[in-house]
Amino acid sequence: MPATVICGLQWGDEGKGKATDLLASGVSAVVRYQGGDNAGHTVVVGDEVFKLHLVPSGVLHPHITPIIGPGVVVNPRTLLTEIEMLAGRGIATDKLRVSSAAHVLMPYHVALDAAREGAAASTGGGIGTTRRGIGPAYGDRAWRTGIRMGDLLEPDLLRDRLAAALTEKNVLLATYGADAFALDDLLREALEWGSQLAWAITDTTALVQHALAAGEHVLFEGAQGTLLDLDHGTYPYVTSSNPIAGGACTGGGIGPLQVDQVLGILKAYSTRVGSGPLPTELHDAVGEHLTEVGREYGTTTGRRRRSGWLDFVPLRYAVQVNSVSTIMLNKLDILSGLAEIKVCTGYRIDGRLVDEWPLNVAQLERAEPVYESFPGWTEDISACRSVDELPAAARRYVAAIEERAGAPINVISVGPERTQTLSVDAGRVTSARRGTGAVA
Ligand code: IMP
């Protein structure tokens, strides 16, 4: 019963959408297990670019059942807009399934996120969230005041739960000077969501378990990345869910022993959007090169991403906490043209040399990176189709990453298109890509 988890090894935006797309031919279902419409997965198919926030990117393949698992917070307005957008572009969404246990991200969650971030930003603080209401929605889940997708189909229960929620939310919103929500209006809209999505709302855990029991290959698609994980990231500058591979268990409905392989997605350099430490951040022409050549602008918010050199310290940590089996290295082509490429091998913190990822954000903010330098290459590598075609300097850089990361690199991407992909060997990822569903 092969189950593959795809997760980001950095601060998100590593190119997980492309990884899902490459593996898609051999899988029967793709499951989103955490996050919400804060995510933005870009998939390029020929001339067409698809930007998806909630629907798993597997939807682009007619044989795949796209599943939104219990660990996701679902904004029904976004979901319905996305379904309509896909239908308008000729993509069938009738196989989509949404867990009845997934929490509904309500308009008051969005309003609270915006109000709180706005207030914090005016004093120079804040997390720099996507303002999609993610934190408040997961907060309600933990407070047990949330409303779940299945509740949208139960009018009496929905009215009671919404009334209870609004009693608190409207008071809180008022403290920020934000408008209150009217129960009747919101109830009417929520019931409408229920009637429009009833066909998709179901027990997705049972679906996933049946698929695995039948020997089908199921892909669990993480959003964001390890360093934005609520428990393992740079808290408090994190998202409110668990993007790490373990999140696929809690948020996807499987047990740890059902995970067959974990594919870690790594970008050839670092980026981060929003506030929080990025020890290798560059404020020079190289940082400008990475952001501009790499088109590092958020899919969801359009915000400019901060960029810097690849950092081995959190990479080793990410490989460990995700128990990564293989790595897909993305955007190697963006480094072409840089005379020198640096990688961070450790930090100097308060005069001490540190090579383990500090969990304390204050220490991370004081961390001075220690770099090792590699020669760059001038050749455009976006047309390379095998590792042998890469310049020797690029191969050396890849080898150095593999040696330090603690997991093999099996796939290298040199451009956004499906064809711009190099298989490093005939290993596990390659066999899944060929559509056999086999995972060695
Ligand atoms: P939230 O998830 O909107 O609450 O934002 C929390 C932090 O996670 C902020 O720094 C966001 O910029 C970041 N974040 C959320 N979603 C993504 C994503 O899909 N890619 C990269 N960063 C993200």
Side-chain angles (χ1 to χ4, degrees):
M1 44 177 185
T4 297
V5 180
I6 289 182
C7 60
L9 300 182
Q10 293 153 302
W11 284 274
D13 310 314
E14 299 93 349
K16 295 177 289 292
K18 175 165 176 175
T20 303
D21 193 56
L22 288 174
L23 286 160
S25 62
V27 308
S28 68
V30 175
V31 184
R32 266 285 302 272
Y33 58 83
Q34 46 72 230
D37 60 344
N38 51 348
H41 287 172
T42 305
V43 185
V44 180
V45 187
D47 292 340
E48 293 229 61
V49 180
F50 292 89
K51 291 180 190 287
L52 298 167
H53 300 284
L54 262 179
V55 176
S57 39
V59 72
L60 302 176
H61 302 261
H63 69 280
I64 286 182
T65 303
I67 294 175
I68 296 178
V72 177
V73 286
V74 181
N75 181 334
R77 285 180 182 167
T78 307
L79 183 59
L80 287 164
T81 306
E82 214 156 87
I83 290 171
E84 200 181 304
M85 178 276 289
L86 287 164
R89 294 176 68 177
I91 307 288
T93 51
D94 53 309
K95 284 190 165 174
L96 176 70
R97 295 294 175 266
V98 183
S99 170
S100 55
H103 278 246
V104 182
L105 193 147
M106 287 283 177
Y108 49 77
H109 293 132
V110 180
L112 276 169
D113 198 3
R116 182 182 279 192
E117 275 290 309
S122 66
T123 56
I127 305 294
T129 72
T130 58
R131 302 193 180 199
R132 293 294 189 273
I134 306 299
Y138 278 114
D140 273 0
R141 183 178 80 155
W143 270 63
R144 288 140 299 172
T145 50
I147 290 166
R148 309 207 293 180
M149 290 302 287
D151 300 342
L152 297 178
L153 310 177
E154 300 286 344
D156 293 340
L157 179 141
L158 183 60
R159 169 176 276 279
D160 290 349
R161 294 195 65 82
L162 259 184
L166 282 185
T167 307
E168 285 184 340
K169 302 303 169 200
N170 283 340
V171 172
L172 198 51
L173 282 165
T175 65
Y176 291 105
D179 293 339
F181 285 85
L183 174 61
D184 286 343
D185 293 347
L186 198 50
L187 180 63
R188 201 175 312 112
E189 187 176 2
L191 287 170
E192 185 58 31
W193 295 332
S195 69
Q196 287 187 49
L197 291 169
W199 57 272
I201 299 172
T202 189
D203 175 359
T204 59
T205 299
L207 269 184
V208 165
Q209 288 295 340
H210 290 153
L212 291 175
E216 293 171 19
H217 189 177
V218 179
L219 209 61
F220 294 83
E221 180 181 54
Q224 292 87 45
T226 302
L227 307 172
L228 289 172
D229 186 280
L230 181 59
D231 300 302
H232 303 280
T234 55
Y235 191 92
Y237 301 102
V238 292
T239 193
S240 302
S241 63
N242 292 112
I244 60 162
C249 295
T250 53
I254 49 169
L257 297 183
Q258 288 183 295
V259 178
D260 185 83
Q261 61 176 355
V262 177
L263 176 56
I265 314 300
L266 177 70
K267 190 151 56 181
Y269 50 96
S270 303
T271 62
R272 170 164 207 164
V273 61
S275 314
L278 175 62
T280 61
E281 184 167 8
L282 295 168
H283 298 282
D284 57 7
V286 175
E288 188 72 13
H289 170 108
L290 297 174
T291 297
E292 294 307 323
V293 180
R295 294 172 305 281
E296 296 294 351
Y297 288 85
T299 310
T300 301
T301 59
R303 286 182 295 175
R304 193 173 198 274
R305 297 179 189 139
R306 303 150 60 193
S307 298
W309 296 120
L310 183 61
D311 193 341
F312 285 149
V313 184
L315 175 58
R316 285 190 293 264
Y317 169 75
V319 166
Q320 289 166 351
V321 297
N322 290 295
S323 64
V324 168
S325 343
T326 56
I327 292 175
M328 174 179 182
L329 178 66
N330 277 335
K331 287 193 150 181
L332 187 62
D333 53 306
I334 305 303
L335 299 180
S336 293
L338 295 175
E340 178 191 34
I341 296 172
K342 291 186 184 176
V343 289
C344 174
T345 55
Y347 303 138
R348 201 172 294 282
I349 304 177
D350 304 333
R352 274 182 315 119
L353 260 183
V354 173
D355 64 1
E356 296 222 322
W357 178 241
L359 295 184
N360 179 319
V361 84
Q363 284 182 14
L364 262 178
E365 266 154 5
R366 295 199 299 277
E368 295 163 40
V370 176
Y371 287 116
E372 191 174 320
S373 183
F374 290 84
W377 59 90
T378 51
E379 297 90 330
D380 175 5
I381 60 170
S382 60
C384 292
R385 293 295 176 268
S386 79
V387 176
D388 296 341
E389 292 172 37
L390 290 175
R395 287 204 305 271
R396 263 201 302 279
Y397 182 61
V398 173
I401 299 172
E402 188 165 58
E403 194 186 304
R404 310 290 178 86
I409 296 173
N410 275 18
V411 179
I412 299 171
S413 170
V414 291
E417 303 217 5
R418 279 180 193 170
T419 52
Q420 293 178 296
T421 309
L422 325 180
S423 299
V424 177
D425 63 23
R428 298 154 70 97
V429 174
T430 316
S431 60
R433 255 187 71 207
R434 286 197 190 111
T436 59
V439 275

